[in-house]
Amino acid sequence: MPTVVHLPAGKALTVRAAADAFLGSLRNPNTVRSYATGVGKTAERIGAGRPLGSVADDEIGEALELLWGTAAVNTWNARRAAVLSWLGWCEEYGYEGPAVPAWTKRLAVPDSETPARSKMAVDRLIARREVHLREKTLWRMLYETAGRAEEILGVNVEDLDFAGRRCLVKAKGARSKARRRGQAREDFVLETVYWDAGTARLLPRLLRGRTRGPVFVTHRRPGPGKVASPRDVCPDTGLTRLSYGQARALLDERTAVHGPGTGWDLHEYRHSALTHLGEQGASLLMLMAKSRHKKPENVRRYFKPSPEAISEVTSLLAPGDARR
């Protein structure tokens, strides 16, 4: 439950009181944590004890610039949005105060720098004899589902629908079914990812008859000092769920050419899958359905056609029958 903040009588209040009242009005604890940094630091910068009505618009802009003017684009946009919501809330409730000036604009999110690997490169890596079956299955499943690594690593055997070649995952930013603390995975709205023949061939070999517990597990049991959630432990073998860091290190080990840390990233499978689907003519709506993105601009950042694909589509413009 949000903290109840008693506002002072009248319509004049200090910057700190306004910030506390706004944050106390938010119901979602994740939103409170996200907004607290932007609102709190901005309030401190302009003077927490000052009357809110004495603060000028440009002071807000200058505070934002000084605090996050050199930060990453997403950080700038998030902090600006928090302050914008704060001051908008104050105006809505009739408290005199500044506004975010027009010159502190929201910045366009740059294209992702994550590369898209060719389909041949993906297939060749997975086909290498020295790659363990666990990694082969994980990489193939990441590619065919175009899922996020955290989602696929979090899947348990009982979540798998082998006949339908699909499973439910707890997606990034999953909506909760009910607002309460200590929520389990089942308390969130789950989403469906789909795989194809490559994953369908590898999964049974990896599981070897296991019917419960994490799909992807470590090769060794945890030490006596490590405590894991029951969902993250295979009840039959005692092995624990493979972590994101472990999976990332395994991929880097097989793909690094200039030393540790220079290999592929797990997220590249998602980029590669969406790029290859787009090159094969999948529509924007289908790409959004596959990736489960809600905004078209987010899908666009993932689509990075190869020079060969651009050359091929350019051939459609050739005159007459001169198409290559």
Side-chain angles (χ1 to χ4, degrees), residues 35-298:
Y35 280 18
T37 301
V39 174
K41 288 191 175 183
T42 302
E44 291 176 5
R45 186 75 195 182
I46 61 180
R50 293 176 57 186
L52 182 65
S54 68
V55 180
D57 294 0
D58 284 346
E59 289 184 82
I60 296 293
E62 291 168 0
L64 290 171
E65 285 287 348
L66 288 170
L67 290 168
W68 300 290
T70 58
V73 171
N74 287 334
T75 301
W76 164 266
N77 288 340
R79 303 295 181 253
R80 176 185 175 277
V83 174
L84 192 66
S85 296
W86 169 39
L87 298 179
W89 179 89
C90 292
E91 181 181 6
E92 180 182 351
Y93 280 86
Y95 296 100
E96 295 182 1
V100 175
W103 53 268
T104 55
K105 298 182 181 295
R106 186 183 188 280
L107 300 179
V109 179
D111 288 341
S112 171
E113 297 180 357
T114 303
R117 304 292 176 175
S118 69
K119 191 174 187 304
M120 181 180 295
V122 171
D123 291 340
R124 284 181 173 176
L125 175 61
I126 296 174
R128 285 164 59 175
R129 291 186 177 181
E130 69 272 20
V131 175
H132 192 275
L133 177 61
R134 179 187 58 187
E135 283 78 78
K136 288 178 183 286
T137 309
L138 174 61
W139 300 343
R140 177 60 67 184
M141 195 170 182
L142 286 173
Y143 178 67
E144 291 186 355
T145 62
R148 301 175 180 88
E150 298 91 339
E151 298 171 346
I152 303 304
L153 289 169
V155 173
N156 276 19
V157 181
E158 50 266 39
D159 301 327
L160 302 174
D161 177 359
F162 290 96
R165 294 182 176 178
R166 69 189 72 178
C167 67
L168 294 173
V169 297
K170 179 185 173 184
K172 177 181 178 182
R175 294 185 296 108
S176 59
K177 294 180 180 177
R179 298 179 185 275
R180 61 178 181 271
R181 295 183 180 179
Q183 289 171 319
R185 179 177 183 273
E186 292 74 16
D187 294 323
F188 291 87
V189 177
L190 304 180
E191 298 179 356
T192 305
V193 296
Y194 301 81
W195 63 81
D196 202 66
T199 304
R201 285 193 297 266
L202 293 170
L203 270 176
R205 294 172 52 196
L206 174 69
L207 298 177
R208 291 184 296 183
R210 286 198 297 121
T211 59
R212 53 184 180 167
V215 173
F216 300 100
V217 295
T218 58
H219 288 162
R220 296 180 181 178
R221 293 189 178 187
K226 184 175 181 180
V227 179
S229 167
R231 177 178 164 78
D232 295 330
V233 179
C234 174
D236 299 325
T237 64
L239 301 175
T240 57
R241 187 183 308 278
L242 188 70
S243 70
Y244 180 90
Q246 292 168 328
R248 184 177 184 181
L250 289 167
L251 177 60
D252 182 71
E253 179 183 349
R254 295 300 183 188
T255 56
V257 292
H258 301 295
T262 63
W264 294 16
D265 187 83
L266 292 168
H267 204 53
E268 293 179 24
Y269 285 106
R270 181 168 165 86
H271 280 257
S272 301
L274 295 175
T275 293
H276 300 160
L277 289 173
E279 290 177 344
Q280 293 299 314
S283 68
L284 175 60
L285 291 177
M286 286 302 298
L287 291 177
M288 291 177 65
K290 179 65 175 175
S291 66
R292 294 164 288 121
H293 280 117
K294 303 300 185 292
K295 297 180 180 179
E297 58 266 27
N298 291 338

